Amino acid sequence: MAFPMSTRPDLRLDVERTGRIGMPEAVLCQFKTVDQATGAVTGLLDTHDTVIATRITSEQSPKLEALRPQLIGTSTMAWQLRPPTSKSVALVSAGTSDAPVADEAAITLTALGHQARRITDVGVAGVHRLQSALPEFEHADAVIAIAGMEGALPTVLAGLIGKPIIAVPTSVGYGSSFEGVTALLTMLSSCAPGISVVGIDNGYGAACAVHRILQQ
Amino acid sequence: MAFPMSTRPDLRLDVERTGRIGMPEAVLCQFKTVDQATGAVTGLLDTHDTVIATRITSEQSPKLEALRPQLIGTSTMAWQLRPPTSKSVALVSAGTSDAPVADEAAITLTALGHQARRITDVGVAGVHRLQSALPEFEHADAVIAIAGMEGALPTVLAGLIGKPIIAVPTSVGYGSSFEGVTALLTMLSSCAPGISVVGIDNGYGAACAVHRILQQ
Amino acid sequence: MAFPMSTRPDLRLDVERTGRIGMPEAVLCQFKTVDQATGAVTGLLDTHDTVIATRITSEQSPKLEALRPQLIGTSTMAWQLRPPTSKSVALVSAGTSDAPVADEAAITLTALGHQARRITDVGVAGVHRLQSALPEFEHADAVIAIAGMEGALPTVLAGLIGKPIIAVPTSVGYGSSFEGVTALLTMLSSCAPGISVVGIDNGYGAACAVHRILQQ
Amino acid sequence: MAFPMSTRPDLRLDVERTGRIGMPEAVLCQFKTVDQATGAVTGLLDTHDTVIATRITSEQSPKLEALRPQLIGTSTMAWQLRPPTSKSVALVSAGTSDAPVADEAAITLTALGHQARRITDVGVAGVHRLQSALPEFEHADAVIAIAGMEGALPTVLAGLIGKPIIAVPTSVGYGSSFEGVTALLTMLSSCAPGISVVGIDNGYGAACAVHRILQQ
Amino acid sequence: MAFPMSTRPDLRLDVERTGRIGMPEAVLCQFKTVDQATGAVTGLLDTHDTVIATRITSEQSPKLEALRPQLIGTSTMAWQLRPPTSKSVALVSAGTSDAPVADEAAITLTALGHQARRITDVGVAGVHRLQSALPEFEHADAVIAIAGMEGALPTVLAGLIGKPIIAVPTSVGYGSSFEGVTALLTMLSSCAPGISVVGIDNGYGAACAVHRILQQ
Amino acid sequence: MAFPMSTRPDLRLDVERTGRIGMPEAVLCQFKTVDQATGAVTGLLDTHDTVIATRITSEQSPKLEALRPQLIGTSTMAWQLRPPTSKSVALVSAGTSDAPVADEAAITLTALGHQARRITDVGVAGVHRLQSALPEFEHADAVIAIAGMEGALPTVLAGLIGKPIIAVPTSVGYGSSFEGVTALLTMLSSCAPGISVVGIDNGYGAACAVHRILQQ
Amino acid sequence: MAFPMSTRPDLRLDVERTGRIGMPEAVLCQFKTVDQATGAVTGLLDTHDTVIATRITSEQSPKLEALRPQLIGTSTMAWQLRPPTSKSVALVSAGTSDAPVADEAAITLTALGHQARRITDVGVAGVHRLQSALPEFEHADAVIAIAGMEGALPTVLAGLIGKPIIAVPTSVGYGSSFEGVTALLTMLSSCAPGISVVGIDNGYGAACAVHRILQQ
Amino acid sequence: MAFPMSTRPDLRLDVERTGRIGMPEAVLCQFKTVDQATGAVTGLLDTHDTVIATRITSEQSPKLEALRPQLIGTSTMAWQLRPPTSKSVALVSAGTSDAPVADEAAITLTALGHQARRITDVGVAGVHRLQSALPEFEHADAVIAIAGMEGALPTVLAGLIGKPIIAVPTSVGYGSSFEGVTALLTMLSSCAPGISVVGIDNGYGAACAVHRILQQ
């Protein structure tokens, strides 16, 4: 008798989450089989207003694209976008290497109805670039600041503007960046007041933190 | 002269372990060659009442299936199950990603004669799900609570029921979950009294800890 | 010739910070001499609208009280409060041990004109306490959730309400709480979406993060 | 206007915890003022069947002794003991240095009605001592094994007996024992099956874990 | 102009090392190209009495076997063995998974002229196995004790015999064994007197430490 | 509608960096796609005097070689070298395994116009090798000392010469070298005065630190 | 017979160090008794051109002041200053709390004959302060940048000027600054090219690293 | 009823340890009360041939001196010395700060009958000092090398002599020496073959490791 323990298809989806907190349950694909990932997305499409799948592997990608997502990023997809709100979020990052995390945040925000505007290549090693980009932040309701390596971008930015700033450390870097730990610690110890931080590479979490602000 | 140092087949099995502690030696396959794994299982089949192989690799899996296990899970198999006891264990986990660890615990419990009942999708981000599942715990003699990421499930559960709770942190997660370290620390620092914890991903160890309780 | 290197009294205060980001520079007293601390406060009183001193040591406390602060907490004081805004913040914590951190957040919020309402003794080991306190959160514009030990409070709360939640890990605890590291990691790895986190014991930073939200 | 924020005496005690889980809320004294500690104990004396105070500081000790506890250990006290059960627990430790943790476990067990029998000086550097003490374990319903430094005691014991074993790492030691981290990791990685572990120095937690087993 | 910086073949071998310390320079293959590895071995064959290559990769293995080593282990080879001494070393390990490290130690000892006797499957979860194997240690001049996971074997052994014991932590294990860190810390914090430890997986270093003892 | 978020080709290059600090922006290739890497190099070739690409992957290598670099190392390339200065740098390392890091430093220095002279195989296990190589340091204006494993080379060197010494820890090693952390800590804690250190494997950073010295 | 092992007064001073590397041996007082500290200083006064004592404890301070130092800082003193060179060093720090480390660097530089100019209160939370202070750096031959907390100051500075920059992380801060580890990691992972770093709080080491540059 | 749990005086001494392993049980005083420490020493004086007490606190010191030890060091004492053997041990350390650890090793060796010869002030920052001291090592049967900070001394020494070398990392140092962790890692990762290491500050353990060698 084979023991088909882990093949059970029943998933107790938290379908009332949107009612409680204004955000649906997302599908974290990385640790799921292809079938589990597509099954979870399909299940949510029937019961939720918007569906977001994050950390999609290259193996899962074709099957999930077959479900015709409206937004496709490096490793994030979304279906059934919410109608646009009037809110806008500035999504600032230092380099092209942060794209997967920035995509995850931008697609999540877009799916939830907000506008996500990218401001890139403003690393603090050339601080004038950030200063000259300040007008681009003016109409933003909140800022997501993504940075790897030494992670100083949110600190400098937080000394320049008074908007809500959610910082996302990324695992981009090598050696002494310790897969995001350095950037995380920098952001948590910032000498500029009022930065708050989400987990390493957690673009989805940063978007949700901003959504909590915007839906008030 | 070639020096056949590491090809020696003799394994000193601890055949009297069951007599001393009521549990047989299991075969941890992950660091063995295919031949070492099948050799260890075959050796135990002759000398033990029940045989459990854990952390089976995809390379080892076909050869071990050829030995006709009675229970097959994601990376665990068992042979020569013990006769059923009257004991029942609730095996609670947050999501589908924890399946390999949950399988390891469930198959070990089943091989030792106990009933393992799964309760899934009760993550603490929707705490009502756990509360509405409380009746399912009523007839359990003990609980194994498996959780990755922030690992808060055992804490909330331990405030709701007075059963023995063995917590298993899993390496599921990314970034700030640090391959199970975060969940491990959470469980060890729980503000709810009387949770005890086994090593990261150690479903087998949790089942054995429960078996020690049930065989008194 | 004695070399009076570190006795120099000149402090370049960042007096325009309020204009840029809406928050004044605070005085972190812990690493200052008594004279440096009182000097910094006195200097700010002349040039700023509101002045906050944090992490005041017992040695500094009498001298700072002599400067007649309007708010006095365990290790925080404030002078020249801003006029009240219409905003209200729920400040939730698990126990009495978190008081110094909670005071720091509450006094900072009050000095900046917001109302800080305390909700205490709602640890997740008795999750019903938090659930029955939900109405107290209804009129809050944002939430600061303070927790030590295993730090699960913000996760459970974030599954129940959709408000902005800033989590503060505290160094309260012993052994496996590792002076706040466990709570910090738990909060960063939360399975509930949209929690953002400030540094260990940084009640001031949490209040500033909320102020960034409220001043939009 | 002074701001008496942290002087508020109201404590929301979780008075129904005993009904839910069979264990009362204990008072962790270490981070409380003398008044907070005595206030918490006094409050619980009125509403609970048994009251346990742990990690009492030398400053708090006289005031708490004035409340006439029935059990007094190195830094633990208990009031209003439960009537004796028929259960017995073996409390094994390597040396005299573990006494505060052992006291915390023993007093908690005694307050909950169980018999706690000490077995000491059985360090694994002289493994015959442990082997010759095995008859003392025979009538125990469960075992709490306390060890600092390299923490190997529970591993050796778990290969000799089949009882439930809760291991407690202690911060006793210096240098490479890293304040209990080494013992904690050893216990979590044990090659002997079925050890479960509580936090560093958490004798109270170990006793509660055993109580969950004994009250089934 | 291409810049052939890293293709330079000149290796300053420390050819007088044997004269100074009685041990030749070994070739650590892991971080070398196939050509660098064979080049280093060939170079040493001309100038040294015995040559040992460690941590050979599967890619390097055929080319190094073509150089006709006298001893071949899992990832270690040796050429030009020294004449036998009268010394004997007991090489004790817990399981088959430690074979690569044990091979590295055994081949190094054999190449240096000593006899290496294996004693396996004596894990401390069945401590009687170690005790019944004690006569096998009697004629050993020194002991190398190899262990992964919780690493308690050297501690128990050091309480039973008075021989020199060099402990080698291995990276075998998963989860809470943290790739050998747990075993390393256990060995360094041992409550049994006089264990000394080499780096994780460093079988070669342990053999050299023993050789220092035996050549006195 | 597909969301081509991360395919945007616009890169805000910091083209005035050379004017400000005398060093151009380099291209860190490791986290870029092949197209992003070649795009970044091509962009810089038009606007900068010299272009350096570091941490080139094997996939990127052919496309970047097609851009006809003047210097090619293990994973570093350079275009448009600066005219030679009169400065010379000694680049000392312990073994062949450090070649990728040494190449990165040497090519960067050469591109910036300085002469990079290699001194290899001077590990401190045979300290006479370093001492006999001292004349080779005499005409150097600065020294870059590269070392993995225990990282003691810069310490011994700094006790022998008074030149500026920039130390680079490398991730070469296994087990207790913890991917460069051990070498990093050794260099930071050196008992020899005046060593300064760059990040793990950061040969480029070391060369830039030296360039800052040489361009004064 | 009492065994006066640790009372032996003979100190083998490395009196030729100045001849070899241009810097004398300093006296690290922190781990010495008062007598050992004064003895070491007295011994060096006879044999060296300049003498520096660092990390002087409050207990040692009066006895060392009695030896009539020419420079006295928070915990550093110097005797027998070298004649002035033409070199000047900018010593930049964020706040008053870094004074002990800044003093250690400044006194060491002054003792070695260089001019140390302080630039303070230029934290990156108000980046304009640093920018407006740039002219003060113009005549410096090198820069020492001292920072605690998130440690971003050297990164921003290194993007603005091309001088040699030695960064010193300090243990000033609390919670997530982890006693200087956060600042250290930030500095090592800086996205600005050519920062090199010394150990936490090691102002003396930074001054020596600069001296190596200036004495070329 | 007061519960005199931790006042029990009975200590199961491992009196046969000397017979098994040739070394008596020592008394680790640090975590004992004054009475427990003197009680343990008194008990051993009756039953053992030699008695060693380590890590004696200043509070315990007078009472233990009253027991008339034959050897007294910084924090170590010994009674009833063994008759002299013909063996000699070189005890090398870098500075005066390591005296407590060196005393612990030297007194233990002397108590066990061996001669301990000190060689001090041979730090690797002036490597000629170590080289000129080499004749002092010639008649040693084994070497104990004690070092804090970067801990490179054993590595350099192991490249110069072929004797057994036991390395002891010490917690002396500050900042990046991380209370001995840096020295420990350096010693474990040494590029010189055959160093073995004991725990941080464990001079007693090093002496016992040497004694195992000398008693063969």
Side-chain angles (χ1 to χ4, degrees), chain F residues 94 98 146-152 168-173 177 183 187, chain H residues 189:
Chain F
D98 299 323
I146 301 172
M149 300 186 68
E150 100 293 324
V168 193
T170 71
S171 59
V172 167
S177 68
M187 292 166 176
Chain H
S189 301

Side-chain angles (χ1 to χ4, degrees), chain B residues 112-198:
Chain B
L112 294 170
H114 312 301
Q115 188 183 24
R117 304 190 55 170
R118 296 277 183 90
I119 301 170
T120 53
D121 289 318
V122 290
V124 294
V127 76
H128 60 289
R129 291 184 295 184
L130 183 59
Q131 288 168 319
S132 69
L134 281 184
E136 303 184 38
F137 290 93
E138 238 158 60
H139 298 292
D141 295 287
V143 178
I144 292 176
I146 300 172
M149 300 187 69
E150 101 292 325
L153 174 57
T155 289
V156 176
L157 185 61
L160 296 171
I161 64 172
K163 311 268 182 186
I165 298 177
I166 308 293
V168 192
T170 71
S171 58
V172 168
Y174 63 93
S176 315
S177 69
F178 293 115
E179 305 191 331
V181 170
T182 297
L184 171 62
L185 295 180
T186 303
M187 292 166 175
L188 288 168
S189 302
S190 174
C191 61
I195 299 169
S196 65
V197 188
V198 296

Side-chain angles (χ1 to χ4, degrees), chain C residues 65 71-76 93 95-104 106-107 118 120-121, chain D residues 1-11 32-37 39-40:
Chain C
E65 283 203 42
L71 300 176
I72 300 179
T74 312
S75 57
T76 311
S93 62
T96 53
S97 316
D98 300 322
V101 176
D103 275 20
E104 188 177 297
I107 287 179
R118 297 276 183 93
T120 52
D121 289 317
Chain D
M1 173 194 77
F3 200 69
M5 272 180 156
S6 56
T7 58
R8 158 204 57 90
D10 59 292
L11 294 164
K32 292 186 168 60
T33 62
V34 173
D35 284 352
Q36 284 173 333

Side-chain angles (χ1 to χ4, degrees), chain G residues 15-32:
Chain G
V15 291
E16 291 142 31
R17 186 179 287 187
T18 299
R20 288 197 319 276
I21 67 172
M23 285 166 281
E25 198 171 8
V27 180
L28 173 57
C29 297
Q30 184 175 7
F31 307 102
K32 291 186 168 61

Side-chain angles (χ1 to χ4, degrees), chain D residues 93-163:
Chain D
S93 62
T96 52
S97 316
D98 300 322
V101 176
D103 276 19
E104 189 177 296
I107 288 180
T108 301
L109 287 168
T110 309
L112 293 169
H114 311 301
Q115 187 184 25
R117 302 190 56 169
R118 296 277 182 93
I119 301 170
T120 52
D121 289 316
V122 290
V124 294
V127 76
H128 60 289
R129 292 185 293 186
L130 185 59
Q131 287 169 319
S132 68
L134 282 183
E136 303 184 38
F137 290 92
E138 237 158 61
H139 297 292
D141 295 286
V143 177
I144 291 176
I146 301 172
M149 301 187 69
E150 99 295 322
L153 173 58
T155 288
V156 176
L157 185 61
L160 295 172
I161 64 172
K163 311 269 181 185

